[in-house]
Amino acid sequence: TARAVRELTGDSVPIIVLSGYDWGEIEAEAREAGVNTFISKPLSQKGLADLFRSLLNGDAEHKSPLEKLDGKAFAGKRILLAEDNEINAEIAQEILGMAGLTVEWARDGKEALDMLTGAAPGAYDMVFMDIQMPVMDGYEATRAIRDSGREDLKEIPIIAMTANAFAEDVRAAMQAGMNQHVAKPLDVDQLMAVMQKWLGG
């Protein structure tokens, strides 16, 4: 499978082997097939975060789009990330932080709403909003933010982040008051384009 992926993608996509066993016996063959690195199962939050951090920092063969931005593209901008999955949140914070953003994390839609309405006007420049969250989902939270009575929260860019990328999901996000839709897993180039559009980096 790794060889087939390499033929399709060239060297641009990191390939990671997940295994519950010692990979010493297969490492040489795996690397010959195009595997970049290994991670042990069961997966841990720290292990995954360290892995993505190393790949994004350029341990992979080619520089990532974030490396080229040199961490200054969006310096001074403050983002609210609403995401209930800790691993997804840590990875997203790492990516966004490498672009120079200050990121604060809300664990559900209600917490995101409270953080926005409790902050001073203009405190946040953008919201990345997961859709499927406990307590209050992304659609409900966005509607409540838009209906909060605050002018800044009527205008703040809210970007949907979800694995559901069908046309009806995009429509539902727009109808709830979101500005744009980004599919998971996150594509770094797409993420940069979205931020350049709404933050002007």
Side-chain angles (χ1 to χ4, degrees):
T1 301
R3 288 190 186 94
V5 171
R6 273 285 163 258
E7 288 179 10
L8 288 171
T9 67
D11 295 329
S12 62
V13 176
I15 300 177
I16 304 156
V17 166
L18 295 88
S19 176
Y21 302 95
D22 178 17
W23 56 70
E25 295 181 5
I26 65 161
E27 182 171 2
E29 183 181 3
R31 292 199 182 279
E32 181 273 329
V35 171
N36 294 83
T37 190
F38 303 82
I39 188 168
S40 295
K41 293 192 288 188
L43 301 177
S44 68
Q45 177 181 340
K46 183 180 185 307
L48 274 175
D50 288 347
L51 173 66
F52 280 96
R53 188 176 295 119
S54 70
L55 291 173
L56 288 168
N57 276 329
D59 288 358
E61 188 174 344
H62 298 287
K63 285 188 174 183
S64 72
L66 284 174
E67 253 195 309
K68 296 171 188 174
L69 291 173
D70 197 28
K72 299 175 183 175
F74 306 102
K77 300 293 186 180
R78 190 176 176 200
I79 298 295
L80 180 62
L81 172 68
E83 167 65 68
D84 65 309
N85 183 289
E86 289 190 18
I87 293 174
N88 289 347
E90 182 146 352
I91 292 167
Q93 286 179 90
E94 187 68 29
I95 293 172
L96 296 170
M98 289 175 70
L101 294 159
T102 298
V103 184
E104 295 187 15
W105 176 31
R107 291 159 178 79
D108 58 60
K110 179 64 166 60
E111 187 173 341
L113 174 63
D114 291 343
M115 289 173 71
L116 285 165
T117 56
Y124 295 97
D125 296 288
M126 180 185 280
V127 180
F128 281 107
M129 183 77 74
D130 187 27
I131 299 299
Q132 296 179 331
M133 293 183 290
V135 186
M136 182 182 281
D137 68 26
Y139 298 137
E140 293 176 284
T142 299
R143 282 190 283 266
I145 291 164
R146 297 303 191 205
D147 293 339
S148 66
R150 290 228 329 230
E151 289 301 316
D152 62 314
L153 299 185
K154 289 180 183 177
E155 302 296 331
I156 189 170
I158 301 178
I159 312 301
M161 296 175 69
T162 175
N164 300 324
F166 297 109
E168 57 266 31
D169 299 302
V170 177
R171 254 193 320 272
M174 300 303 107
Q175 289 169 354
M178 296 180 178
N179 297 88
Q180 196 166 339
H181 182 283
V182 174
K184 293 180 185 178
L186 297 178
D187 177 271
V188 173
D189 289 323
Q190 183 189 17
L191 203 57
M192 293 301 103
V194 167
M195 290 191 294
Q196 285 166 353
K197 176 179 178 179
W198 296 104
L199 297 177

